[in-house]
Amino acid sequence: MWESILTGMGTLLAVAVVLVAAWWFTRRIAGSGQFGGRSRYMKIIDRMPLAQDKYLALVRLGEKTYLVGVAASEISLLAEMEEEPEPLPQTDQTVPGAADFRELMKKIGRKNNGQ
């Protein structure tokens, strides 16, 4: 009996060690920028998705900013700018006439409680 308990605990400990090692390795690789990510010379300022596997990207390279179109098999230069564009003001993203989800749930909750 003790032998099976010790075997189970040993297996559990081995699985835990493998999970911690995988977590550590993933964090180390992600932080190093070895597989993409960080660059000393380029910076992606903003991206806007257009469709699946297609987006527009503002890329800063040195003193210039480039607008590029990115697809699964192609990257196209769309525009070259001397300076970064000004950020657009934040607009209200709600759809006119749409009900607030939180308020809607409160009303449904009141109806279910008999209020």
Side-chain angles (χ1 to χ4, degrees), residues 41 60-66 81-84:
Y41 305 105
R60 180 92 171 152
L61 179 62
E63 298 296 318
K64 295 195 178 189
T65 302
Y66 300 94
M81 300 169 243
E82 293 296 323
E83 57 188 43
E84 263 181 54

Side-chain angles (χ1 to χ4, degrees), residues 5-69:
I5 291 174
L6 289 176
T7 303
M9 289 182 73
T11 303
L12 185 62
L13 181 63
V15 168
V17 167
V18 168
L19 288 174
V20 168
W23 172 80
W24 178 81
F25 182 73
T26 304
R27 298 285 293 180
R28 186 159 174 93
I29 292 298
S32 70
Q34 188 172 359
F35 295 110
R38 298 182 188 171
S39 173
R40 294 185 341 183
Y41 305 105
M42 291 188 302
K43 180 181 176 187
I44 295 179
I45 298 167
D46 200 5
R47 291 189 333 169
M48 185 175 86
L50 300 174
Q52 185 176 357
D53 296 333
K54 294 181 176 98
Y55 60 92
L56 294 175
L58 274 177
V59 179
R60 180 92 171 152
L61 179 62
E63 298 296 318
K64 295 195 178 189
T65 302
Y66 300 94
L67 177 64
V68 294

